[in-house]
Every structure is written in C-alpha cells, then in structure tokens.
C-alpha cells in the first residue's frame, strides 16, 4: 500500500478519507489495495480509515485483534456492537468519505458494501462517495512489465487464432469436417503448449446461428460440424500463465467459402467501421488532451450502429476492462448495461468489440487497446478488416 499516494489522491479530490471494511472476505478490492492476506481468518468486522492527512485508524474485534497489524496507524479494539458504533462515529462523524459503493449500482464491480453498512455509516453524518476512480487508479493501470506481457500474449493468441482458422480451412478442402468442439479443444491445447491460460471459461467457436448468441457455449455432447458455406465466429482470450500476466482478447469472423452472402458482409462491415470509430475517438481525445469516458465511447459506437438500422441487435456493451482477469476492474466501454462514468486514463487496457446479432446471423469484431503513459492509444496485432475466406 502506498499511503502517501492514496492521501495525495484523497486531498486532490477534496475528500476527508477512504473507509475500508470487510467481513468474511466480501471485499476483494480492499485486500488488493491494502495488500492484506485474504486467507487469514476474518470472522468479525474490521474497518480501516485512511484520512486525507494524518495517521490511519484501525478498528478490529478483540478476538481478531491482529487482523490489521500489517497496516500503519492507531488500533482501536472493540467487542460489542455498541462500542463499534461509538468508535466509528468518533472516526468518521460528518466526514465526506470514499467507499466501495456505486450510486444506483452503476458499476457493479465496485458496489461491494452492503446496504446495511451504508445505512450505518450515514447514520454518523458521513457523506459517502464512490471509490471507483481511486480503485481504477490503484488497481487497473498496467505497469510497463504488464503491458509487455499483454503484448507477448497477443502475439501468441494471434498465432493460435490463425492456426485455428487454417485447421478449419484444411478440413474443408479435405472434406474431413471439424466440429466447433474440436476447434475449441485445439485452441485450448495450443494455449497449454504456449504456457497460456484462459481461466475458467473456454474460447467461443460458433457456427451459423450459434454466432447470434454473444456468449454461446460449445457443447461436446451436441457436436456441430463446420461445413462449406457456413459462417464462423471465434472469440479467444488468454494470458501468459505467470503472476503479472495480462489477458489478450479478440474475436474474428470467417466464411467457409469464397463468396459470403451480402447481408453477412454488410453486417460485418458495419461493426468494423464502428470499431474504427471508437479507436479514432479515443485517439483524438488523447491527442487534444480532452477527457474521454467509457460511456461516451459506447454511445458513439451505438449511435453509428443504430444509424444503420441495427441498434436493437447490438445487445451488449462495446467493451470491457482487461487486466489480470479477462474482465478487469477498470472502466468499461459501456452506456447500455451500465453507465460507466470513469475516465479513460493512461495505463488502462480494454476491449473494443461491437457486434450485431440478428438471427440467424451474428458478427463481432474485437480488438484490445491500451493507453500508454505518453497518451498513445495502442493495439497489438492485426485488426480484421474483411471476412476471412476459408476456401
């Protein structure tokens, strides 16, 4: 924990402090920010208040009195709830404080403090604001090593993506057709061979109407073969299997033939242009040093797709934060599922992945962007411009 930097951020935001609390390991953010061991017993409530200036305060239960010993500050012990309330009131009375809270649950990954605790803190006259911007700054930004690991993962994922489509192409030419499941398992084997991990969820390999389901799950018990004139979408993500590994997440579309249907080509062209629009908007704002927020990018992309008549078929956000988890804790590119009002800042990595899902057709194009510390908006690897033709 960098106490001095946290206090500088609190002072710059005109806040009195940041209140952390937990019970039974509910708030992973607190443990990450404070560098606490999440495996130690936490059967009683603890609170940790970092003021904008001065020494922090620890409030811990007597039977777990050493729970916050790794942190700086004065320790207050309690046993009864009455004492806990008294001590909390003394520490935060009438203060304006940040907590892991999001008004209207706009950012669910941040909104971790339960309603009862919010009621309790407000009963002491404290005003609560969201810690979302602080969490993004301290947890979502990538350092140089992490950016390099993202780039390395990208090189491997792009190579494996090419190999997967080549395997499908060969199977079509030889008329020895592969199933969605076989291609998915090929990708997983290649991930393992390259020391990559994709976490708990396997890549999406979706043929024809399956691609109209954005989170289609391949079913080994109901194999679907990839044959001539089929439409194919592959969404794959992975990171190097090491402590600071960062995910790389892309989606490409292909046609199992030489002459894709006009509607398929048209829909794919629309999402490609929407993707380019998003990247250009972010690049322009950083070039002119103007702020840009996650919801703004989504709104621009959604407007473009809606203008072409397919807004109702774009049923998910434009992109998500990327880090050590494929869905990270930074700003999402979203004004549909939530209104993400966090500013895009240097060090962030996120996907741009507009899609149109008009059964039986589904298309999506996905790239990853990261914002370097000089304000450059960067991507790793080729960006799909037209449908891949597999014959």
């Amino acid at each position: 924990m960098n106490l001095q930097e946290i206090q500088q951020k609190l002072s710059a935001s005109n806040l009195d402090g940041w209140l952390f609390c937990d019970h039974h390991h509910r708030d992973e953010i607190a443990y990450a920010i404070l560098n606490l061991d999440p495996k130690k017993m936490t059967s009683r409530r603890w609170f940790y208040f970092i003021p904008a200036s001065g020494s922090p305060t620890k409030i811990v239960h007597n039977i777990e009195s050493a729970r916050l010993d790794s942190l700086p500050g004065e320790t207050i012990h309690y046993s009864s709830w009455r004492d806990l309330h008294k001590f909390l009131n003394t520490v935060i009375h009438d203060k304006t404080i940040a907590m892991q809270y999001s008004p209207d649950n706009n950012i669910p990954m941040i909104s971790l403090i339960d309603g009862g605790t919010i009621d309790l803190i407000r009963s002491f006259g404290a005003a609560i604001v969201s810690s979302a911007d602080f969490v993004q700054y301290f947890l979502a930004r990538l350092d140089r090593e992490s950016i390099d690991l993202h780039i390395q993962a990208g090189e491997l994922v792009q190579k494996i993506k090419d190999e997967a489509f080549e395997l499908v192409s060969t199977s079509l030419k030889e008329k020895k057709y592969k199933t969605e499941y076989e291609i998915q398992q090929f990708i997983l084997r290649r991930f393992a061979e390259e020391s990559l991990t994709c976490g708990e969820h396997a890549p999406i390999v979706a043929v024809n109407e399956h691609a109209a389901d954005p989170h289609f799950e391949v079913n080994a018990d109901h194999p679907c073969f990839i044959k001539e004139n089929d439409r194919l979408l592959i969404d794959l993500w992975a990171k190097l299997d090491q402590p600071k590994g960062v995910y790389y997440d892309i989606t490409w579309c292909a046609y199992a033939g030489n002459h894709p249907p006009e509607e398929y080509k048209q829909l794919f062209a629309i999402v490609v242009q929407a993707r380019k629009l998003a990247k250009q908007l972010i690049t322009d704002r950083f070039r002119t040093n103007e702020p840009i927020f996650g919801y703004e990018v989504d709104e621009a992309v959604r407007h473009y797709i809606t203008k072409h008549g397919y807004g109702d078929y774009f049923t998910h956000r434009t992109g998500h934060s990327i880090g050590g988890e494929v869905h990270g804790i930074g700003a999402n590119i979203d004004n549909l599922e939530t209104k993400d009002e966090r500013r895009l800042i240097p060090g962030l990595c996120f996907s741009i992945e507009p899609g149109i899902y008009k059964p039986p057709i589904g298309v999506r194009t996905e790239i990853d962007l990261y914002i370097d510390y000089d304000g450059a908006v960067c991507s790793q690897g080729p960006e799909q411009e037209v449908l891949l033709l597999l014959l």
Side-chain angles (χ1 to χ4, degrees):
M1 178 185 69
N2 189 328
L3 177 59
Q4 182 179 5
E5 193 172 14
I6 290 175
Q7 292 185 316
Q8 288 172 349
K9 286 291 181 184
L10 291 169
S11 294
S13 299
N14 295 316
L15 296 181
D16 295 312
W18 189 350
L19 181 64
F20 296 86
C21 60
D22 191 49
H23 182 231
H24 284 283
H25 306 105
R26 294 177 181 176
D27 184 359
E28 294 179 356
I29 291 173
Y31 288 85
I33 295 283
L34 301 176
N35 294 323
L36 289 174
D37 182 356
K39 296 179 181 178
K40 291 185 68 174
M41 182 178 290
T42 307
S43 66
R44 302 299 192 275
R45 289 174 288 177
W46 60 256
F47 290 81
Y48 187 65
F49 181 66
I50 300 178
S53 62
S55 179
T57 301
K58 299 176 271 189
I59 303 178
V60 293
H61 196 277
N62 276 312
I63 72 167
E64 291 174 358
S65 60
R67 187 63 185 92
L68 302 182
D69 276 2
S70 63
L71 300 175
E74 173 196 4
T75 301
I76 300 174
H77 300 92
Y78 78 93
S79 290
S80 74
W81 64 264
R82 294 176 181 85
D83 283 345
L84 173 61
H85 290 192
K86 179 179 70 175
F87 296 144
L88 279 171
N89 186 41
T90 299
V91 171
I92 64 171
H93 182 73
D94 282 349
K95 289 181 169 62
T96 300
I97 59 176
M99 295 186 74
Q100 270 72 276
Y101 154 80
S102 179
D104 299 326
N105 197 29
N106 271 348
I107 307 173
M109 291 187 77
I110 299 295
S111 199
L112 300 178
I113 305 300
D114 66 277
T117 299
I118 293 292
D119 291 342
L120 177 65
I121 299 305
R122 285 175 172 161
S123 75
F124 305 132
I128 301 172
V129 301
S130 178
S131 63
D133 289 337
F134 301 132
V135 172
Q136 171 169 269
Y137 181 86
F138 288 107
L139 292 185
R141 296 181 307 144
L142 307 181
D143 60 19
R144 187 68 254 173
E145 180 184 357
S146 296
I147 291 172
D148 289 343
L149 290 172
H150 170 73
I151 292 170
Q152 292 172 41
E155 293 170 349
L156 295 170
V157 171
Q158 287 280 0
K159 180 175 73 170
I160 292 168
K161 173 262 298 177
D162 291 341
E163 293 171 357
F165 280 116
E166 182 60 31
L167 179 59
V168 175
S169 178
T170 299
S171 74
L172 291 168
K173 292 170 184 175
E174 296 178 350
K175 298 191 182 300
K176 297 178 180 178
Y177 304 119
K178 299 290 187 181
T179 66
E180 295 168 322
Y181 181 73
E182 287 176 306
I183 299 303
Q184 181 197 67
Q185 294 305 300
F186 168 80
I187 293 171
L188 290 173
R189 285 195 301 272
R190 290 292 293 118
F191 281 174
E193 291 166 359
E194 298 288 358
S195 297
L196 296 167
T197 178
C198 60
E200 297 178 357
H201 302 289
I204 297 171
V205 180
V207 175
N208 295 331
E209 68 275 7
H210 292 168
D213 176 357
H215 277 184
F216 170 73
E217 295 186 21
V218 174
N219 189 335
D221 296 327
H222 296 87
C224 183
F225 286 91
I226 306 166
K227 297 183 178 181
E228 291 89 349
N229 301 316
D230 281 346
R231 301 178 302 275
L232 177 62
L233 178 151
I234 297 180
D235 183 348
L236 65 168
W237 54 90
K239 67 175 180 177
L240 287 165
D241 194 6
Q242 52 185 277
K244 297 191 73 172
V246 172
Y247 273 91
Y248 186 85
D249 184 6
I250 53 173
T251 304
W252 283 55
C253 290
Y255 182 68
N258 282 316
H259 303 288
E262 285 302 315
E263 185 179 16
Y264 189 36
K265 289 196 299 183
Q266 176 191 13
L267 295 183
F268 189 73
I270 291 170
V271 296
V272 166
Q273 291 304 313
R275 185 199 73 210
K276 290 182 174 182
L277 181 154
K279 184 177 180 181
Q280 191 62 52
L281 173 61
I282 299 167
T283 300
D284 290 345
R285 291 288 186 90
F286 272 91
R287 183 181 296 122
T288 57
N289 201 30
E290 296 178 79
I292 180 74
F293 301 89
Y295 77 91
E296 287 186 282
V297 182
D298 181 87
E299 191 68 17
V301 169
R302 201 162 303 282
H303 175 75
Y304 181 85
I305 292 176
T306 299
K307 182 176 69 174
H308 285 80
Y310 297 99
D312 290 343
Y313 301 102
F314 181 20
T315 54
H316 58 71
R317 61 193 175 200
T318 294
H320 58 82
S321 171
I322 293 174
E325 301 293 334
V326 69
H327 290 141
I329 203 162
N332 294 316
I333 311 304
D334 189 8
N335 195 29
L336 176 71
E337 301 171 42
T338 66
K339 185 177 184 180
D340 201 316
E341 297 179 308
R342 287 175 289 181
R343 183 175 177 173
L344 303 182
I345 60 175
L348 295 188
C349 181
F350 48 88
S351 70
I352 299 292
E353 48 182 302
I356 296 174
Y357 311 96
K358 184 175 182 289
I361 299 175
V363 295
R364 180 165 68 252
T365 176
E366 180 180 11
I367 63 171
D368 300 341
L369 298 179
Y370 66 89
I371 303 170
D372 219 333
Y373 284 90
D374 61 1
V377 178
C378 309
S379 59
Q380 162 62 30
E383 301 174 11
Q384 188 174 10
E385 300 290 334
V386 295
L387 293 165
L388 294 179
L389 302 181
L390 302 181
L391 279 176

